[in-house]
Amino acid sequence: MKVAGREIGDALDKLYEELETRLRVEAERELRVEASEQAALSNVAWSDGVVTVTVHEGVPTHALPHVLGVALQRVRQRLERYPVLLRPDGEQPEEAAMLRQGLRELVLSAEAEMQLEPLALDQEWETEQRHAGLKDMLRDAPPEWNGLGTGGNKLMALQYARFAIQHPPEMWEGLKKTFREQLPAAAENGEGVLQMIRKTGWGTPGACLQSLVAARNELAMHDVALIEDRRSGEVH
């Protein structure tokens, strides 16, 4: 399989072919993969007749299969009616979009990684990028991020929970110690979120819905995130 002119092997061939067929039959759309200079490692855009997956052209070739694999899992999640986060009406705090993204990635990325695990795709580059990014955030964290109820506190609590779930344990241990030293209140809140979602998990659309709602409620984020159950249309 080629992505942006680069050969990435055949690990994703079956998944890609399955999604191509499902999109054509279930959504009357074709699947495209493109490279771009966007900020995110990957993005998925749904439009009339096509679903476009873009991957950042700066991603090393050996890391492309996993980056693309996560994006393809997002396509599958939508087809299978996994929950989505919505922006509430009215004025939003400055950090609202980042909080919704943090909540989404905490649960739905965990589900995507679970699906990709049997493929044993190379994640080393992404892991190193995330590790360095969190180290920088902790080093530069302003004091208000440790204040209960602040946007920074909630954002870092979500990061704490996500890293506890998805980061390699041997790398997380050192970060966790720094986290608890630098932002003890955010770490405590993150531990609370972690325990909540580990109870419900993320293995099904229903479990993801419960985990998203539980984490949102634990951090009192009703003002920035509504959660739609796409199976029923109910909004929580």
Side-chain angles (χ1 to χ4, degrees):
M1 181 178 181
K2 279 191 174 182
V3 175
R6 289 184 278 171
E7 180 60 53
I8 66 167
D10 58 6
L12 294 176
D13 286 2
K14 182 179 179 181
L15 173 61
Y16 190 89
E17 290 166 6
E18 288 177 352
L19 287 174
E20 267 192 319
T21 300
R22 290 189 64 182
L23 283 170
R24 187 168 57 249
V25 173
E26 300 174 32
E28 298 182 342
R29 287 172 169 87
E30 64 174 295
L31 179 61
R32 294 179 188 166
V33 177
E34 301 175 351
S36 79
E37 296 180 350
Q38 63 187 8
L41 293 182
S42 67
N43 187 57
V44 178
W46 291 66
S47 57
D48 291 343
V50 63
V51 174
T52 304
V53 175
T54 53
V55 293
H56 197 289
E57 61 184 22
V59 174
T61 300
H62 69 274
L64 268 176
H66 184 262
V67 170
L68 176 59
V70 171
L72 292 176
Q73 291 299 330
R74 294 194 193 113
V75 175
R76 176 194 57 80
Q77 287 172 344
R78 177 156 170 171
L79 285 172
E80 295 178 358
R81 301 187 181 279
Y82 275 71
V84 295
L85 274 74
L86 305 175
R87 179 189 186 280
D89 293 334
E91 187 175 351
Q92 295 278 287
E94 182 180 352
E95 66 276 3
M98 289 190 297
L99 289 171
R100 282 192 295 274
Q101 181 181 358
L103 179 57
R104 181 188 304 113
E105 294 302 311
L106 168 61
V107 177
L108 295 179
S109 284
E111 195 276 343
E113 295 292 357
M114 180 184 71
Q115 297 291 336
L116 291 173
E117 188 173 356
L119 301 181
L121 302 174
D122 186 345
Q123 300 184 52
E124 183 177 356
W125 180 79
E126 284 179 85
T127 298
E128 290 173 351
Q129 298 298 304
R130 284 197 299 268
H131 190 87
L134 184 58
K135 281 183 70 175
D136 289 344
M137 290 177 73
L138 290 172
R139 184 191 63 230
D140 300 331
E144 57 266 26
W145 281 12
N146 208 44
L148 294 176
T150 64
N153 176 275
K154 294 174 183 181
L155 180 63
M156 295 307 289
L158 291 169
Q159 291 298 311
Y160 179 99
R162 182 183 180 188
F163 272 72
I165 292 169
Q166 296 184 34
H167 213 49
E170 66 276 11
M171 298 178 73
W172 171 234
E173 282 305 311
L175 277 178
K176 181 168 69 172
K177 181 180 178 181
T178 302
F179 211 123
R180 289 178 170 175
E181 291 172 350
Q182 297 292 109
L183 298 172
E188 184 176 352
N189 288 349
E191 191 65 38
V193 170
L194 178 64
Q195 298 309 315
M196 295 284 279
I197 67 171
R198 276 185 168 158
K199 289 179 182 177
T200 48
W202 45 81
T204 65
C208 283
L209 176 68
Q210 291 182 59
S211 289
L212 285 167
V213 171
R216 189 268 313 270
N217 294 351
E218 178 74 5
L219 294 177
M221 287 171 44
H222 299 76
D223 60 330
V224 299
L226 298 176
I227 302 162
E228 180 184 1
D229 183 349
R230 295 189 65 248
R231 300 167 302 173
S232 66
E234 183 179 2
V235 176
H236 299 264

